Amino acid sequence: CWVVGTTSFRTAKLNLKIEEQLLLLDEFYNEITKKHSWNWNNELQEKYYDFMKDKDFLTGDAKRKDKDAREKTSGLVDIGLITEDRLITEAGRELLEITSAGVFETDNVFNINRDSFVYLKQLLKTSIDVSGNIVRPFIVVIRCLTELEYLNYDEFAYFVPLIRDNDSAEKIIADIKLHREGKIETEEIIYKRLIQMDNYKLAQKEFIGSDVNEDLICLVGMNRKSRSYDKPYYALYKNIKNIFLDKNNEYEALLNSAKKINNKPGVLWRGLIFKTTNIGVVRKNGKTAICEECPFLKCANEEELKEAFFKYLHVFKAMATLSDYFDLNRRYFNITDTLIFEDR
């Protein structure tokens, strides 16, 4: 999927922060090049971090100043206001002139502020490489809005960033129409995209063909940070198998293992299996605390259970990532002043 900017630099009033950042970079560049040539290496990145801090642009103490300096500026690279070496581009200069002069009044056919017009032109050009496909996210959104008239928050968060070429655009727009009619689930649309990829096919085959242990779960979980993050899924799998295949009654243990899955995936897992996460109610009601729609109720054997478990393991992780990206994409698209986000 694609995302504009980086999740480590979230900020309110993004346009103001971008414009402040350009002013700071320009000042820093002029200061450095009086004595040295410009070389955007780790040493200079650390200096720029200190410079931003001296100017009260940021607070706190980053463990890695160079990394923080890169992250704070990478969104400006994405939308073409600065180069990879953090030199201000022609578009960045135009924005700097508008900011420095303080003249934002409209002078364009769209009747939007002058800085918004620069952002619009930049976002129309912004492209991102998604596994070898060059995607223009803003154009993707415009195409979806043209064909679908509107997008709700879930469609904008979970489906649109999965578009990476003309073929996927046609399929996802068709799926959104079906989703609106209640003919296809959110999870199904995401899983169709995932299971087309070779690494997911391979992981699924490995999972279904092997005895399940903690190492296997961590292997097929393909966690981007570290395999060890996926260890809690082993207890969850064992408890799901206990209840739905072996017909045990340890509903409390199942809920506890689902509670050990952190953040949004944990919320999604608990919602998939249980009507309530109140331990007292689950203890008292047992089987009737399970959702009628829980997919594991339909599993007749371990292979079917594994297929369902693998599907939700990865779909929920993908949904967590996409939720994380939603806010960022919305902030960047918002600075063009051409889209309206309200009433979800």
Side-chain angles (χ1 to χ4, degrees):
C1 65
W2 46 258
V3 61
V4 185
T6 171
T7 50
S8 36
F9 183 52
R10 299 170 186 276
T11 176
K13 297 182 178 166
L14 181 63
N15 54 339
L16 196 65
K17 289 291 182 193
I18 288 172
E19 288 154 24
E20 279 178 22
Q21 186 80 265
L22 281 174
L23 287 163
L24 286 175
L25 267 171
D26 197 39
E27 192 182 333
F28 183 65
Y29 175 82
N30 292 331
E31 204 173 278
I32 291 295
T33 50
K34 279 175 194 164
K35 302 169 196 163
H36 313 281
S37 59
W38 181 265
N39 180 10
W40 183 250
N41 56 16
N42 291 33
E43 190 190 339
L44 193 64
Q45 288 157 19
E46 285 188 16
K47 281 183 183 170
Y48 183 59
Y49 176 88
D50 291 331
F51 179 80
M52 287 190 287
K53 199 170 172 184
D54 290 344
K55 298 286 181 179
D56 296 325
F57 185 76
L58 44 85
T59 53
D61 286 299
K63 282 181 187 166
R64 284 188 52 199
K65 293 178 180 181
D66 56 336
K67 185 174 182 234
D68 207 72
R70 289 194 299 274
E71 287 171 345
K72 294 278 188 290
T73 48
S74 69
L76 280 72
V77 177
D78 280 0
I79 61 172
L81 298 172
I82 57 176
T83 66
E84 288 282 355
D85 290 336
R86 294 348 189 227
L87 297 171
I88 297 171
T89 62
E90 205 180 320
R93 289 264 158 231
E94 191 184 336
L95 198 53
L96 257 183
E97 282 167 24
I98 293 167
T99 308
S100 303
V103 181
F104 294 95
E105 285 74 26
T106 179
D107 65 345
N108 53 73
V109 67
F110 293 109
N111 205 28
I112 56 178
N113 284 349
R114 289 173 71 198
D115 59 337
S116 302
F117 190 47
V118 174
Y119 292 129
L120 173 63
K121 288 186 284 185
Q122 287 312 106
L123 272 155
L124 285 166
K125 290 183 287 183
T126 296
S127 61
I128 292 168
D129 186 332
V130 184
S131 309
N133 293 85
I134 302 301
V135 185
R136 296 187 188 273
F138 197 71
I139 301 281
V140 167
V141 173
I142 292 170
R143 174 168 175 182
C144 291
L145 289 169
T146 307
E147 294 192 31
L148 295 161
E149 295 185 6
Y150 68 91
L151 288 164
N152 67 35
Y153 271 23
D154 280 0
E155 292 161 359
F156 180 76
Y158 296 133
F159 307 145
V160 179
L162 300 175
I163 294 175
R164 42 195 247 190
D165 53 24
N166 196 49
D167 178 55
S168 57
E170 285 175 8
K171 285 176 180 163
I172 283 174
I173 288 168
D175 278 344
I176 289 174
K177 289 174 182 173
L178 292 172
H179 187 261
R180 288 178 182 181
E181 292 168 18
K183 290 178 181 170
I184 187 168
E185 299 286 321
T186 299
E187 293 84 352
E188 202 54 49
I189 295 175
I190 296 170
Y191 193 58
K192 277 200 297 185
R193 311 306 311 166
L194 293 179
I195 206 65
Q196 283 176 5
M197 292 186 264
D198 291 340
N199 55 338
Y200 284 91
K201 284 178 190 164
L202 191 64
Q204 187 199 43
K205 187 180 174 187
E206 184 75 18
F207 186 54
I208 288 168
S210 310
D211 293 333
V212 179
N213 56 34
E214 191 177 80
D215 286 344
L216 181 71
I217 293 275
C218 291
L219 175 72
V220 302
M222 301 191 287
N223 194 290
R224 292 178 304 157
K225 288 180 181 168
S226 161
R227 285 183 182 179
S228 61
Y229 282 103
D230 285 341
K231 284 182 178 180
Y233 286 106
Y234 179 52
L236 180 65
Y237 179 82
K238 281 198 301 185
N239 282 304
I240 286 172
K241 183 175 175 289
N242 258 343
I243 298 271
F244 297 101
L245 275 192
D246 305 338
K247 307 300 179 191
N248 290 334
N249 294 318
E250 292 160 13
Y251 295 98
E252 195 177 332
L254 176 59
L255 178 58
N256 284 331
S257 63
K259 282 185 171 179
K260 291 210 169 75
I261 308 297
N262 293 329
N263 305 323
K264 188 173 176 78
V267 174
L268 292 166
W269 273 106
R270 294 187 286 277
L272 180 75
I273 299 170
F274 291 99
K275 291 175 186 170
T276 175
T277 54
N278 182 310
I279 201 103
V281 175
V282 170
R283 203 179 286 140
K284 182 182 165 201
N285 293 354
K287 193 175 180 179
T288 56
I290 300 290
C291 286
E292 286 92 350
E293 299 297 309
C294 178
F296 303 113
L297 286 166
K298 303 186 191 101
C299 297
N301 53 52
E302 190 167 9
E303 187 174 325
E304 288 179 12
L305 191 86
K306 281 179 171 180
E307 280 182 7
F309 184 85
F310 183 85
K311 172 183 171 177
Y312 289 101
L313 172 68
H314 285 294
V315 167
F316 290 164
K317 282 185 180 190
M319 287 174 77
T321 301
L322 289 161
S323 295
D324 216 19
Y325 291 170
F326 161 81
D327 183 52
L328 211 52
N329 287 329
R330 178 175 55 162
R331 283 171 201 250
Y332 273 94
F333 292 154
N334 244 340
I335 59 176
T336 67
D337 231 0
T338 55
L339 299 176
I340 297 170
F341 291 90
E342 59 181 41
D343 304 326
R344 290 191 60 77

